[in-house]
Amino acid sequence: MTSSAPPPNPSSGPTASSIAQAAAQLRQGDLVAFPTETVYGLGANATDDQAVARIFEAKGRPRFDPIIVHLADPNELHSVTASVSDDARQLADAFWPGPLTMVLPRSDSIPPIVSAGLPTVGVRVPDHPIASQLIEMAGCPIAAPSGNRFGCISPTTAEHVREQLADRVQVILDGGPCRVGVESTVLDMTSDTPRLLRPGGVTREELEEVVGSVEVFEGAQPVDQAAPAPGMLARHYAPSTPVKLLAELPTTVPPCSGLLVFSTPEITDGWAHLEVLSRDGDLVEATAGFFAALHRLDGHNLQQIIALPFPNHGLGTALNNRLNRAATQAQS
Ligand code: TXA
Ligand code: MG
């Protein structure tokens, strides 16, 4: 997959020795934020339950929401899972390293806290040189959710992580902006037909080319209630500014409002802040810039952010999923 987001710049990024230092700290139980191709992760040694507990504390994340385990090499899959089906192997061959997380039966090497007590584990191999080196040098699988406070906008730059977690994480490795820009696709491989729990960087269409039909889990749960796929809480990814999702542009621009759109709108005047994600209507480019645009809009003291839906195919499905959840108002 290609994108117009600038690639990580090795000359200004972490050196081999700073990654080695971060890896040593991870082994000792510290938290390390690191770049992946999707979003920045907040990592801990996945085999150390106390280190993993610190992730939940730092994020303010409920303990019922399981965390993804990251490996450097697809061949290590057997070390964190109890069994791997043929379909799962085929998907690993097709999409790893890359933005696909597979939910598989958990091995005892991974403590229950990682998976919120579930008998399964979510696993992926990220496609980013800094993430790979960090995992390799640490010599252990890394448990890592996205590096944001729970329910807030996901980070696609090191600066986003600093804004939300600076005082709660020991190391932040800066690898520049993330190339894909939306989280991995989460696919449950423990049922007969693979179940898509979260749309993400690998599209349903791409998955179906490899394993045939994929079922889509539609049931986002009521706000703040434990869910079978716990990351599917209805409200998530939310800026502090209210987000209103409209079917089309309003005829008059409301006061003090920002606009987030896929491609250039017919009328651009009057918006207090305008974010056009791809002038050419390219979903890959739009995805790479999506969370950064939400972060910027949220920094403008607007009364509201108005957004229009994306084309509902390919990566657009993942973006609509994030937008819908950003727009769901918290219930009191
Ligand atoms: O791209 C990504 O996936 C990023 C980078 C850092 O890898 N990570 C990420 O993690 O987005 P997080 O924690 O923000 O989202 C993980 C999602 C949640 O919806 C969680 O419920 C789901 O994956 N998940 C993890 N393990 C699971 C399991 N065993 N069963 C069901 N869902 C699981
Ligand atoms: Mg997250």
Side-chain angles (χ1 to χ4, degrees):
M1 217 174 269
T2 56
S3 107
S4 60
N9 179 356
S11 63
S12 66
T15 58
S17 76
S18 59
I19 300 172
Q21 171 64 35
Q25 286 185 247
L26 256 179
R27 262 199 312 276
Q28 288 161 15
D30 281 351
L31 300 185
V32 173
F34 63 98
T36 80
E37 80 283 26
T38 58
V39 300
Y40 275 71
L42 176 63
N45 178 349
T47 64
D48 175 346
D49 51 6
Q50 289 190 34
V52 174
R54 280 184 207 116
I55 293 179
F56 286 95
E57 268 163 45
K59 277 193 67 126
R61 179 178 176 116
R63 289 283 180 107
F64 59 72
D65 196 357
I67 297 176
I68 296 170
V69 169
H70 297 70
L71 302 174
D73 182 341
N75 293 321
E76 288 159 16
L77 183 56
H78 65 90
S79 69
V80 297
T81 53
S83 64
V84 181
S85 64
D86 290 345
D87 275 356
R89 279 200 198 285
Q90 277 189 23
L91 287 166
D93 286 347
F95 298 110
W96 283 353
L100 173 66
T101 294
M102 285 195 278
V103 173
L104 293 161
R106 176 170 55 87
S107 130
D108 290 342
S109 66
I110 298 299
I113 185 175
V114 171
S115 297
L118 295 171
T120 56
V121 60
V123 192
R124 86 177 191 97
V125 177
D127 184 14
H128 195 292
I130 296 173
S132 310
Q133 283 175 53
L134 180 69
I135 304 166
E136 243 164 56
M137 287 175 174
C140 58
I142 296 184
S146 49
N148 50 283
R149 300 298 302 273
F150 180 72
C152 298
I153 311 172
S154 298
T156 53
T157 66
E159 188 52 35
H160 295 157
V161 180
R162 267 191 287 277
E163 284 163 10
Q164 296 193 43
L165 293 171
D167 51 341
R168 293 159 181 254
V169 54
Q170 281 72 44
V171 183
I172 301 177
L173 295 173
D174 187 346
C178 300
R179 175 172 59 81
V180 175
V182 72
E183 294 89 339
S184 62
T185 302
V186 180
L187 192 65
D188 179 3
M189 296 302 293
T190 64
S191 52
D192 284 345
T193 308
R195 257 193 342 159
L196 188 79
L197 302 182
R198 177 177 73 179
V202 173
T203 65
R204 179 184 180 181
E205 295 88 333
E206 289 170 323
L207 293 172
E208 290 189 331
E209 275 176 32
V210 177
V211 282
S213 140
V214 166
E215 220 173 79
V216 178
F217 174 79
E218 300 282 3
Q221 295 297 301
V223 175
D224 291 343
Q225 196 176 300
M232 300 302 284
L233 291 176
R235 182 177 165 82
H236 215 98
Y237 307 106
S240 45
T241 315
V243 176
K244 206 179 206 177
L245 189 52
L246 299 179
E248 52 191 40
L249 275 181
T251 43
T252 51
V253 174
C256 203
S257 298
L259 179 66
L260 176 69
V261 278
F262 175 43
S263 52
T264 310
E266 276 160 32
I267 304 160
T268 55
D269 291 344
W271 296 99
H273 187 82
L274 174 64
E275 290 284 348
V276 178
L277 292 176
S278 172
R279 296 196 177 277
D280 302 331
D282 173 7
L283 275 171
V284 172
E285 181 184 25
T287 305
F290 175 75
F291 281 128
L294 265 185
H295 279 279
R296 282 192 297 273
L297 280 158
D298 206 22
H300 275 78
N301 288 320
L302 302 167
Q303 264 172 30
Q304 61 179 348
I305 298 167
I306 288 180
L308 302 186
F310 294 87
N312 207 26
H313 57 82
L315 289 169
T317 314
L319 294 180
N320 284 331
N321 167 279
R322 308 303 189 270
L323 212 48
N324 270 309
R325 295 207 260 153
T328 302
Q329 293 303 306
Q331 291 165 0
S332 52

